[in-house]
Amino acid sequence: MSSDGFVAAEVKRGDCFRLLAACFYPPDRKALLEEDVPGNLRRLLESVCPEAASHAEGMAGALSRTEDVELAAAHAKLFVGPFELQAPPYGSVYLDSGRRLMGDSTIEVLRFYRRAGLSLIADFEEAPDHIAAELEFMYYLVGKETRAIRHGDRNGAYGYLEMQRKFQGNYLRPWVEPFCESIRTGSDHEFYRLLADGLSTFIMNTPVPGTLPEKLGPEA
């Protein structure tokens, strides 16, 4: 594969992380529809992870059929409260003993962000291992990787690929499936059940590339 072709494929993979993250924030149904988030996700997944594309297609239909209040209530029941969360969106709940927030794995995730040159913005009110933050971090790392490739920086590109492999393998993939199963069992809302299916299918079937093109750069 050419350098340009590789970068194009990686941009699509990164955008899948970004769009999936958008679906886990407090829902703005109008914005999700106007920006065609499920439709764009489906188109990307058809190339990146075809097994997950049908779930995104279903999400678009579910979103068009639901009401704002219904969607917000389903989101709150799963991820926010005020009562017991049906699907806590924090990695430490699934990775650390005692299902506790801000556990050892949370601190490791925060250290990962800092090693990549990131810090959480002041108005981000969630824990560092919130599912949306971790997905957006993967999007950020893919972006850094593709910029390194465009500049012919092989060592830098490999460094960001390795960071993706470690982060996804140690701090994202291990808790995605139990998290998604909690969504499936904790809600009967079609949008979030399909989102769970799409996320788990994408994460479990989309590995970080192990190699780079032989030639890098804009003219490779």
Side-chain angles (χ1 to χ4, degrees):
M1 182 184 293
S2 69
S3 179
D4 287 345
F6 184 89
V7 166
E10 285 293 84
V11 168
K12 290 179 180 179
R13 184 172 67 88
D15 281 342
C16 288
F17 285 108
R18 176 178 60 85
L19 293 177
L20 284 165
C23 295
F24 284 101
Y25 284 111
D28 183 337
R29 178 176 169 275
K30 182 179 179 182
L32 290 171
L33 287 171
E34 288 182 348
E35 296 170 18
D36 195 18
V37 170
N40 288 326
L41 181 60
R42 175 187 59 79
R43 286 185 282 273
L44 289 167
L45 288 171
E46 285 175 347
S47 174
V48 176
C49 181
E51 304 93 329
S54 63
H55 302 307
E57 183 174 6
M59 286 166 56
L63 198 60
S64 67
R65 291 189 294 270
T66 196
E67 299 290 337
D68 292 351
V69 172
E70 179 187 359
L71 189 67
H75 180 274
K77 177 183 176 183
L78 285 166
F79 311 127
V80 181
F83 306 108
E84 182 179 359
L85 305 187
Q86 298 301 307
Y90 309 103
S92 62
V93 173
Y94 306 89
L95 298 178
D96 297 335
S97 61
R99 291 177 63 84
R100 58 196 177 101
L101 296 178
M102 295 299 293
D104 294 340
S105 65
T106 311
I107 304 306
E108 289 303 314
V109 164
L110 187 57
R111 287 172 178 163
F112 237 104
Y113 296 167
R114 289 171 176 164
R115 284 198 295 271
L118 289 176
S119 59
L120 295 178
I121 58 176
D123 60 354
F124 187 77
E125 299 178 351
E126 295 290 355
D129 57 349
H130 188 282
I131 184 63
E134 293 198 0
L135 292 171
E136 288 185 344
F137 182 55
M138 287 295 295
Y139 165 67
Y140 170 82
L141 292 178
V142 175
K144 297 291 283 187
E145 168 213 336
T146 56
R147 282 190 286 275
I149 292 172
R150 290 189 178 109
H151 286 88
D153 180 4
R154 183 173 296 274
N155 288 338
Y158 267 123
Y160 286 114
L161 281 174
E162 182 62 17
M163 192 172 288
Q164 289 173 57
R165 274 191 290 274
K166 289 182 178 179
F167 188 81
Q168 182 164 312
N170 295 333
Y171 300 107
L172 179 58
R173 181 179 175 130
W175 71 278
V176 158
E177 185 50 40
F179 168 61
C180 289
E181 185 58 27
S182 294
I183 296 175
R184 298 183 193 104
T185 59
S187 177
D188 58 4
H189 198 284
E190 185 182 9
F191 177 80
Y192 286 110
R193 290 173 65 89
L194 287 166
L195 174 59
D197 290 339
L199 174 63
S200 63
T201 303
F202 171 69
I203 294 296
M204 298 303 166
N205 292 278
T206 310
V208 177
T211 60
L212 292 171
E214 183 177 345
K215 296 182 179 180
L216 304 184
E219 299 180 358

